Amino acid sequence: MSDTALVLGGGGLTGIGWEIGILHGLARAGVDPTGADLVVGTSAGSVVGAQLTSGVLSLDELYERQLVDPKGEIPATMGPAMIARYAWGVVRSRDAKAYGIRMGKMASAIRTAPAEDRREVIAQRLLSHDWPADRRLVVTAVDTTTGELAPFDRDSGVGLVDAVSASCAVPGVWPPITIDGRRYIDGGVHSSANAALAAGYAKVLIVAPIAMGGGPLPTPRAQAAKLAAAGSKVVLITPTREARRTFGRNVLDPARRAPAARSGLAQAAAHVDEVRRLWQD
């Protein structure tokens, strides 16, 4: 087995803030998992993963960045009708690929902001536009035609900004991202965490803002259990009820990022011992 993997799940702008709060709190307590050999990022997690592995800012600085006015972000929301379409898609899909195809069709049919504008927002979020050279970062997206998971890394031939833009392309909210003639949407359409990509790693920390799954989509807990059954030591962190309250009803609201970051920092204390045992064993 390889050694350490950090899996960062999707969850909108509040997910970005909460994940960084969790990691900052762990590091402040003397347990810093951000130097993992493998970092897997899905949607919000792809942003956090790219920021962490850039080496440009410390966790302290990344955390403080969550607390300032989120300039450049475009407010968005998912109304009840859109959420219902997601739920109906889950019910009608036999597996994750079928769900990916269904969501890909929906994303392609709905008019949203131009892809170039969305890509610029993502480019501003990232601290570097280059893949890390010292370890492996995997960014997940879903092919709109085949519904298959697309794990991008530095050897994929895809630029980091394009990969993260695709991973954050929430169907019905943001446009699919075209890469080499194919269109991609949010990696969370396949799984909110995609922790299966950490198979073969001895120690796996999963930080998942969205604990739910449903139908053909496995929960982070189910994926963690599968990794553990295969011999990995795994710790899963999901938001407490108090943390979820700070997210509000719209995880895409930039104004909720700071409260989510503070809730992640507060929650981290409860996980220090288990992560220390995992990481230092």
Side-chain angles (χ1 to χ4, degrees):
M1 278 192 171
S2 300
D3 197 16
T4 54
L6 173 62
V7 177
L8 301 166
L13 288 171
T14 59
I16 293 174
W18 178 80
E19 286 180 348
I20 289 178
I22 287 283
L23 296 172
H24 178 48
L26 292 173
R28 263 196 346 186
V31 185
D32 185 357
T34 62
D37 302 309
L38 169 70
V39 178
V40 177
T42 292
S43 198
S46 73
V47 174
V48 177
Q51 291 176 339
L52 291 175
T53 58
S54 71
V56 175
L57 296 180
S58 67
L59 262 176
D60 284 349
E61 292 168 319
L62 286 174
Y63 178 74
E64 291 301 322
R65 201 172 187 235
Q66 301 308 300
L67 306 183
V68 301
D69 183 20
K71 295 179 180 177
E73 293 289 349
I74 304 172
T77 187
M78 290 179 63
M82 184 63 66
I83 293 173
R85 293 181 72 170
Y86 273 71
W88 184 238
V90 167
V91 170
R92 297 195 62 191
S93 300
R94 66 183 181 278
D95 55 29
K97 287 183 182 180
Y99 182 62
I101 292 171
R102 192 177 299 277
M103 291 296 100
K105 289 179 179 177
M106 183 187 79
S108 299
I110 295 177
R111 184 183 295 259
T112 61
E116 301 78 24
D117 293 353
R118 179 60 177 163
R119 188 182 184 281
E120 182 58 32
V121 170
I122 299 299
Q124 291 177 16
R125 282 185 195 169
L126 302 187
L127 305 171
S128 170
H129 294 173
D130 298 320
W131 291 95
D134 58 338
R135 55 207 163 118
R136 190 173 181 223
L137 169 66
V138 177
V139 170
T140 68
V142 169
D143 187 307
T144 60
T145 301
T146 66
E148 294 180 340
L149 182 67
F152 297 121
D153 62 13
R154 64 173 174 261
D155 297 323
S156 64
V158 174
L160 181 61
V161 175
D162 284 334
V164 175
S165 297
S167 190
C168 295
V170 181
V173 178
W174 304 119
I177 300 298
T178 301
I179 301 174
D180 295 332
R182 303 195 69 84
R183 306 184 86 198
Y184 296 91
I185 53 175
D186 197 314
V189 168
H190 189 269
S191 160
S192 65
N194 289 302
L197 293 174
Y201 281 77
K203 306 171 187 179
V204 183
L205 173 61
I206 305 171
V207 184
I210 297 176
M212 298 179 298
L217 306 184
T219 64
R221 189 167 302 279
Q223 291 190 322
K226 190 170 183 179
L227 290 171
S232 298
K233 295 181 179 179
V234 186
V235 168
L236 169 65
I237 300 176
T238 58
T240 61
R241 182 177 299 176
E242 293 75 14
R244 291 196 302 271
R245 276 200 287 264
T246 68
F247 296 176
R249 294 186 177 182
N250 179 16
V251 299
L252 303 177
D253 182 359
R256 305 305 303 176
R257 189 180 69 180
R262 293 188 182 97
S263 73
L265 178 60
Q267 183 182 340
H271 303 284
V272 169
D273 289 344
E274 62 177 341
V275 177
R276 180 179 285 117
R277 286 193 297 269
L278 171 73
W279 225 243
Q280 297 179 357
D281 183 7

